[in-house]
Structures are given as C-alpha cells and as structure tokens.
Amino acid sequence: MIAFGTVSGGAGAALTRGNFWKGVTTGLVVSGLNHAFHQQPDPNKELARRIAKQYGGNAGEIREWLDNHPFELTHEGVKFKGLDLEAKYINKPGTNVKNAINQTPQMIAEELGTKALDFIFRGGPVGQLLSDGGLANNPSPSDIAQRQMRIEGAKNALIRHVFMPQGQQKPSMNNGFNPHSGYSRYNLFYKAK
C-alpha cells in the first residue's frame, strides 16, 4: 500500500503538471503515516484478550462490550460508561478494611514520601524559592505516577468485579482447583446492556 501511495502521488503530481518527485515524496509520507496510524494497537482488543484468557469468555464479545462501555474517570474513581458501578481510587480511611490492611506498608511509605516531598518543595527552602505560585503549585512527577497507579488499580478492580466468575471453586486435574468457575457479573447482568 505504501508503494502504491508513493507511485500514485508522483503520477498525480505529473498529471497536474507538478514536480513528479515532490509528488512521490508527498505520496510516500502520506501513505507511510496512514499505514503507521492503522498499525496502532487497539487497547480494548488487548484488554479483551487478557480478560478472556484470565476469566474465560469470548474475546470478541468482551471487546465489543468494552467499546460500548469505555472507562470513565470520575472525581474519586473509575467506572464503565453507562453503569452505576464505580471503583474508587482515592484512599479514604475505613472504606475497605481488608484492602487497607493488605496495603498498609505501601500506604505508609506513600504517605511519608509525599509528606517529605511536600516539606522539601513547598514548606522547605526550595518551596520558599518557588513561592511565587509557579512551579510550587504543579503536581510532581511522583504525584502523577501515584495517581496513575491508583487509577490502574481501580480499573483492574472494576474488571475483576465485572468479569470474574462468582461460583464455587471446582476441582481440576491440573492444579487442584480451577480458580474461576460459574457465571460472572458480566454474563449475569451486564452483557445485555
């Protein structure tokens, strides 16, 4: 396709009494960029494959459902478009005790790191130099990275909640138990939506 675009660009330029080689160059660039654009991976296709492999199901149906219900960021979490289901990514004390217990060391490290950076850049000597309202008010790269990690965690929790089968574990010849059996919430509630 790139070769055809290159030749047709040159031919089009020659037919309109332009420079053949400039037409070839333009045709090559346009067809090359078009080809590169269409080679971009489809994130929903990859996500649907991952969900189908992990929890079972038809990757094509899951992809279509994900295309119709993309992730939406809310003020405090992530949700699927059109559903009232939301996974929070802002940690609030006491909202999920099991999650808080499992992630206590990570939360303590994040909190201490955030307070130290806050002191250095806002309340400390660097913060005094930047107190004109410029760089001191911009989020640091670590704040952005932590927020992105929390958003990804919320997306994964939402995927798990919707697509993981809810039945009892059944014995399996391979590893003793099949971790996912029964119907998922996707199959029971959301597939038709």
Side-chain angles (χ1 to χ4, degrees), residues 127-175:
Q128 292 172 357
L129 291 173
L130 301 173
S131 63
D132 63 348
L135 295 175
N137 292 328
N138 290 337
S140 70
S142 65
D143 291 341
I144 294 169
Q146 285 179 3
R147 181 174 184 264
Q148 189 61 35
M149 288 188 320
R150 288 184 178 140
I151 289 171
E152 289 302 315
K155 285 181 180 180
N156 288 331
L158 197 56
I159 289 168
R160 212 172 25 255
H161 179 80
V162 170
F163 292 100
M164 187 170 82
Q166 303 300 310
Q168 295 287 329
Q169 291 182 337
K170 295 181 181 177
S172 172
M173 297 300 283
N174 311 17
N175 57 5

Coordinates of all heavy atoms in Angstrom, one line a residue, residues 127-175:
G127 N 10.7 25.3 48.5 CA 9.4 25.9 48.4 C 9.4 27.4 48.6 O 8.6 28.1 48.0
Q128 N 10.3 27.9 49.5 CA 10.3 29.3 49.6 C 10.8 30.0 48.4 O 10.4 31.1 48.0 CB 11.3 29.6 50.8 CG 10.7 29.2 52.1 CD 11.6 29.4 53.3 OE1 12.8 29.8 53.1 NE2 11.2 29.1 54.5
L129 N 11.7 29.4 47.6 CA 12.2 29.9 46.4 C 11.1 29.9 45.3 O 11.1 30.8 44.4 CB 13.4 29.2 45.9 CG 14.7 29.3 46.7 CD1 15.8 28.3 46.1 CD2 15.2 30.7 46.6
L130 N 10.3 29.0 45.4 CA 9.2 28.8 44.4 C 7.9 29.3 44.8 O 6.8 29.0 44.2 CB 9.1 27.3 44.0 CG 10.3 26.7 43.4 CD1 10.1 25.2 43.2 CD2 10.7 27.3 42.1
S131 N 7.8 30.1 45.9 CA 6.6 30.5 46.5 C 5.8 31.6 45.6 O 4.8 32.1 46.1 CB 6.8 31.1 47.9 OG 7.6 32.2 47.8
D132 N 6.3 31.9 44.5 CA 5.6 32.9 43.6 C 4.3 32.3 43.0 O 3.6 33.0 42.3 CB 6.5 33.4 42.6 CG 7.0 32.3 41.6 OD1 6.8 31.1 41.9 OD2 7.6 32.7 40.6
G133 N 4.0 31.0 43.2 CA 2.8 30.4 42.6 C 3.1 29.7 41.3 O 2.2 29.2 40.7
G134 N 4.4 29.6 40.9 CA 4.7 29.0 39.7 C 4.8 27.5 39.9 O 3.8 26.8 40.0
L135 N 6.0 27.0 39.9 CA 6.3 25.5 39.9 C 5.8 24.9 41.2 O 5.6 23.7 41.3 CB 7.8 25.3 39.8 CG 8.4 25.6 38.4 CD1 9.9 25.4 38.4 CD2 7.7 24.8 37.3
A136 N 5.7 25.7 42.3 CA 5.3 25.1 43.6 C 3.9 24.6 43.6 O 3.5 23.7 44.3 CB 5.4 26.2 44.7
N137 N 3.0 25.0 42.7 CA 1.7 24.6 42.6 C 1.4 23.5 41.6 O 0.3 22.9 41.5 CB 0.7 25.8 42.3 CG 0.7 26.8 43.4 OD1 0.8 26.4 44.6 ND2 0.6 28.0 43.1
N138 N 2.4 23.1 40.8 CA 2.3 22.0 39.9 C 2.5 20.7 40.6 O 3.4 20.5 41.4 CB 3.3 22.1 38.7 CG 3.0 23.3 37.8 OD1 1.8 23.7 37.8 ND2 4.0 23.8 37.2
P139 N 1.7 19.6 40.2 CA 2.0 18.3 40.8 C 3.3 17.8 40.4 O 3.8 18.0 39.2 CB 0.8 17.5 40.2 CG 0.3 18.2 39.0 CD 0.7 19.6 39.2
S140 N 4.0 17.1 41.3 CA 5.3 16.5 41.0 C 5.1 15.2 40.1 O 4.0 14.7 40.1 CB 6.0 16.2 42.3 OG 5.4 15.1 42.9
P141 N 6.1 14.8 39.4 CA 6.0 13.5 38.7 C 5.6 12.4 39.6 O 4.9 11.5 39.1 CB 7.4 13.4 38.1 CG 7.9 14.8 38.0 CD 7.4 15.5 39.2
S142 N 6.1 12.3 40.8 CA 5.8 11.2 41.7 C 4.3 11.2 42.0 O 3.6 10.2 42.2 CB 6.6 11.2 42.9 OG 6.3 12.3 43.7
D143 N 3.7 12.5 42.2 CA 2.2 12.6 42.5 C 1.4 12.0 41.3 O 0.5 11.3 41.4 CB 1.8 14.0 42.8 CG 2.4 14.5 44.1 OD1 2.7 13.7 44.9 OD2 2.4 15.8 44.2
I144 N 1.9 12.4 40.1 CA 1.2 12.0 38.9 C 1.3 10.5 38.7 O 0.3 9.8 38.4 CB 1.8 12.7 37.6 CG1 1.4 14.2 37.8 CG2 1.2 12.1 36.4 CD1 2.1 15.1 36.7
A145 N 2.5 9.9 39.0 CA 2.7 8.5 38.9 C 1.9 7.7 39.9 O 1.3 6.7 39.6 CB 4.2 8.1 39.0
Q146 N 1.8 8.2 41.1 CA 1.0 7.5 42.2 C -0.5 7.6 41.8 O -1.2 6.6 41.9 CB 1.2 8.2 43.5 CG 2.5 7.9 44.2 CD 2.7 8.6 45.5 OE1 1.8 9.3 46.0 NE2 3.8 8.5 46.1
R147 N -0.9 8.7 41.3 CA -2.3 8.8 40.9 C -2.6 7.8 39.7 O -3.6 7.1 39.7 CB -2.7 10.2 40.4 CG -4.1 10.4 40.0 CD -4.4 11.8 39.7 NE -5.8 12.0 39.4 CZ -6.3 12.0 38.2 NH1 -5.5 11.9 37.1 NH2 -7.6 12.2 38.0
Q148 N -1.7 7.7 38.7 CA -1.9 6.8 37.6 C -1.9 5.4 38.1 O -2.7 4.6 37.6 CB -0.8 7.0 36.6 CG -1.0 6.3 35.3 CD -2.3 6.7 34.6 OE1 -2.7 7.8 34.6 NE2 -3.0 5.7 34.0
M149 N -1.1 5.0 39.1 CA -1.1 3.6 39.6 C -2.4 3.3 40.3 O -2.9 2.3 40.2 CB 0.1 3.4 40.6 CG 1.4 3.3 39.9 SD 2.9 2.9 40.9 CE 2.6 3.7 42.4
R150 N -2.9 4.3 41.1 CA -4.2 4.1 41.7 C -5.3 4.0 40.7 O -6.2 3.2 40.9 CB -4.5 5.3 42.7 CG -3.6 5.2 43.9 CD -4.0 6.3 44.9 NE -3.1 6.2 46.0 CZ -2.6 7.3 46.7 NH1 -2.9 8.5 46.2 NH2 -1.9 7.1 47.7
I151 N -5.3 4.7 39.6 CA -6.3 4.6 38.6 C -6.2 3.2 37.9 O -7.3 2.6 37.7 CB -6.1 5.7 37.5 CG1 -6.5 7.1 38.1 CG2 -7.0 5.4 36.3 CD1 -6.2 8.3 37.3
E152 N -5.0 2.8 37.6 CA -4.9 1.4 37.0 C -5.4 0.3 38.0 O -6.0 -0.6 37.6 CB -3.4 1.2 36.6 CG -3.0 2.0 35.4 CD -3.8 1.7 34.2 OE1 -4.1 0.6 33.9 OE2 -4.2 2.7 33.5
G153 N -5.1 0.5 39.3 CA -5.6 -0.4 40.3 C -7.1 -0.4 40.3 O -7.7 -1.5 40.5
A154 N -7.7 0.7 40.3 CA -9.2 0.8 40.3 C -9.7 0.2 39.0 O -10.8 -0.5 39.1 CB -9.6 2.3 40.4
K155 N -9.1 0.4 37.9 CA -9.6 -0.3 36.6 C -9.5 -1.8 36.8 O -10.4 -2.5 36.4 CB -8.7 0.2 35.4 CG -9.0 1.6 34.9 CD -8.1 1.9 33.7 CE -8.4 3.3 33.2 NZ -7.5 3.6 32.0
N156 N -8.4 -2.3 37.3 CA -8.3 -3.8 37.5 C -9.3 -4.3 38.4 O -9.8 -5.4 38.2 CB -6.8 -4.1 37.9 CG -5.9 -3.9 36.8 OD1 -6.2 -4.1 35.6 ND2 -4.6 -3.6 37.1
A157 N -9.6 -3.6 39.5 CA -10.6 -4.0 40.5 C -12.0 -4.0 39.8 O -12.8 -4.9 40.0 CB -10.6 -3.0 41.7
L158 N -12.3 -3.0 39.0 CA -13.5 -3.0 38.3 C -13.6 -4.2 37.3 O -14.7 -4.8 37.2 CB -13.6 -1.7 37.5 CG -15.0 -1.2 37.1 CD1 -16.0 -1.1 38.2 CD2 -14.9 0.2 36.4
I159 N -12.6 -4.4 36.6 CA -12.5 -5.6 35.6 C -12.8 -6.9 36.4 O -13.6 -7.7 36.0 CB -11.2 -5.6 34.8 CG1 -11.2 -4.5 33.8 CG2 -11.0 -7.0 34.2 CD1 -9.8 -4.3 33.2
R160 N -12.1 -7.0 37.5 CA -12.2 -8.2 38.3 C -13.7 -8.4 38.8 O -14.3 -9.5 38.8 CB -11.3 -8.2 39.5 CG -10.7 -9.4 40.0 CD -9.6 -9.3 41.0 NE -9.6 -8.1 41.8 CZ -8.7 -7.2 41.7 NH1 -7.8 -7.2 40.7 NH2 -8.7 -6.1 42.4
H161 N -14.3 -7.3 39.3 CA -15.6 -7.3 39.8 C -16.6 -7.7 38.7 O -17.6 -8.5 39.0 CB -16.0 -5.9 40.4 CG -17.4 -5.9 40.9 ND1 -17.7 -6.4 42.1 CD2 -18.5 -5.4 40.4 CE1 -19.0 -6.2 42.3 NE2 -19.5 -5.6 41.3
V162 N -16.5 -7.2 37.5 CA -17.4 -7.5 36.4 C -17.2 -8.8 35.8 O -18.1 -9.5 35.5 CB -17.4 -6.3 35.4 CG1 -18.2 -6.7 34.1 CG2 -17.9 -5.0 36.0
F163 N -15.9 -9.2 35.5 CA -15.7 -10.3 34.6 C -15.3 -11.6 35.4 O -15.3 -12.7 34.8 CB -14.6 -10.0 33.6 CG -15.0 -9.0 32.6 CD1 -14.7 -7.7 32.7 CD2 -15.8 -9.4 31.5 CE1 -15.1 -6.7 31.8 CE2 -16.2 -8.5 30.6 CZ -15.9 -7.1 30.7
M164 N -14.9 -11.6 36.7 CA -14.5 -12.8 37.4 C -15.7 -13.6 37.7 O -16.7 -13.1 38.3 CB -13.7 -12.4 38.6 CG -13.1 -13.7 39.3 SD -12.0 -13.3 40.6 CE -13.1 -13.0 41.9
P165 N -15.7 -14.9 37.4 CA -16.9 -15.7 37.7 C -17.0 -15.8 39.2 O -16.0 -15.8 40.0 CB -16.5 -17.1 37.1 CG -15.6 -16.8 36.0 CD -14.8 -15.6 36.5
Q166 N -18.3 -15.9 39.7 CA -18.6 -15.8 41.1 C -18.9 -17.2 41.8 O -19.3 -17.2 42.9 CB -19.8 -14.9 41.3 CG -19.6 -13.5 40.7 CD -18.4 -12.8 41.4 OE1 -18.3 -12.8 42.6 NE2 -17.5 -12.3 40.5
G167 N -18.8 -18.3 41.0 CA -19.2 -19.6 41.5 C -18.2 -20.2 42.5 O -17.1 -19.7 42.7
Q168 N -18.5 -21.4 43.0 CA -17.6 -22.1 43.9 C -16.4 -22.6 43.0 O -16.5 -22.9 41.8 CB -18.3 -23.3 44.5 CG -19.4 -22.9 45.4 CD -18.9 -22.4 46.7 OE1 -17.8 -22.8 47.2 NE2 -19.6 -21.4 47.3
Q169 N -15.3 -22.8 43.7 CA -14.2 -23.4 43.0 C -14.4 -24.9 42.8 O -14.9 -25.6 43.7 CB -12.9 -23.3 43.9 CG -12.4 -21.8 43.9 CD -11.1 -21.7 44.7 OE1 -10.8 -22.6 45.5 NE2 -10.4 -20.6 44.5
K170 N -14.0 -25.4 41.6 CA -14.2 -26.8 41.3 C -12.9 -27.5 41.2 O -11.9 -26.9 40.7 CB -15.0 -26.9 40.0 CG -16.4 -26.4 40.1 CD -17.1 -26.6 38.7 CE -18.5 -26.0 38.8 NZ -19.2 -26.1 37.6
P171 N -12.8 -28.8 41.6 CA -11.5 -29.5 41.5 C -11.1 -29.6 40.0 O -11.9 -29.7 39.1 CB -11.8 -30.9 42.0 CG -13.0 -30.7 42.9 CD -13.8 -29.6 42.3
S172 N -9.8 -29.5 39.8 CA -9.3 -29.6 38.5 C -8.1 -30.5 38.5 O -7.4 -30.7 39.5 CB -8.8 -28.2 38.0 OG -8.1 -28.3 36.8
M173 N -7.9 -31.2 37.4 CA -6.8 -32.2 37.3 C -5.4 -31.5 37.3 O -4.4 -32.1 37.8 CB -6.9 -33.0 36.0 CG -8.2 -33.9 36.0 SD -8.3 -35.0 37.4 CE -7.2 -36.3 36.8
N174 N -5.3 -30.3 36.8 CA -4.0 -29.6 36.7 C -3.4 -29.1 38.0 O -2.4 -29.5 38.4 CB -4.1 -28.4 35.7 CG -4.8 -28.7 34.5 OD1 -5.5 -29.7 34.3 ND2 -4.7 -27.8 33.5
N175 N -4.2 -28.2 38.7 CA -3.6 -27.6 39.8 C -4.4 -27.7 41.1 O -4.3 -27.0 42.0 CB -3.4 -26.1 39.5 CG -4.7 -25.4 39.1 OD1 -5.8 -26.1 39.1 ND2 -4.7 -24.2 38.7

